[in-house]
Amino acid sequence: MNSSKKIILHLVIRIGILILLLGLVFLFWHFTYDPHKYCDESGHKHVDGGLGFFILLFLITQMFYLALLIEMIYLFVKKNRILAFANLGFLIISLCIVSVCMFLIN
């Protein structure tokens, strides 16, 4: 397998893992969250499930980035610099995208 296919496969696997993790959290939240859990007949008492969802997604992405950083260090030590630089590029690009999205939302 040539180098470019190896890099693309490596990045596709990492992106797939991130999408799978975020998708599982979204499905868990979608099927288990009930905003009317504490409502009674006298009025609505909603809970803020969106904040918990955001915190879970934030923690998962931070753990994913930490694992990517650890893998990148491991690949540098193992002398597989091409995949380590692919991880570094993915980390930089995805963090830039996340930071742009954060500043556009606020």
Side-chain angles (χ1 to χ4, degrees), residues 3 33 35 39 42 48 73 75-76 81:
S3 180
Y33 172 66
C39 292
S42 64
D48 191 12
I73 293 169
L75 288 172
F76 270 121
R81 298 193 191 281

Side-chain angles (χ1 to χ4, degrees), residues 93-106:
I93 290 170
S94 63
L95 286 175
C96 288
I97 290 171
V98 167
S99 63
V100 165
C101 290
M102 282 176 34
F103 287 117
L104 289 180
I105 290 174
N106 288 330

Side-chain angles (χ1 to χ4, degrees), residues 17-61:
I17 290 170
L18 181 62
I19 290 172
L20 180 70
L21 288 172
L22 297 179
L24 287 174
V25 170
F26 173 75
L27 288 175
F28 176 75
W29 177 77
H30 181 72
F31 288 119
T32 60
Y33 172 66
D34 181 20
H36 301 287
K37 183 177 182 179
Y38 298 107
C39 292
D40 54 4
E41 294 185 20
S42 64
H44 290 295
K45 297 176 183 170
H46 291 265
V47 293
D48 191 12
L51 180 63
F53 178 64
F54 174 77
I55 291 171
L56 275 177
L57 291 181
F58 176 75
L59 290 175
I60 285 177
T61 54

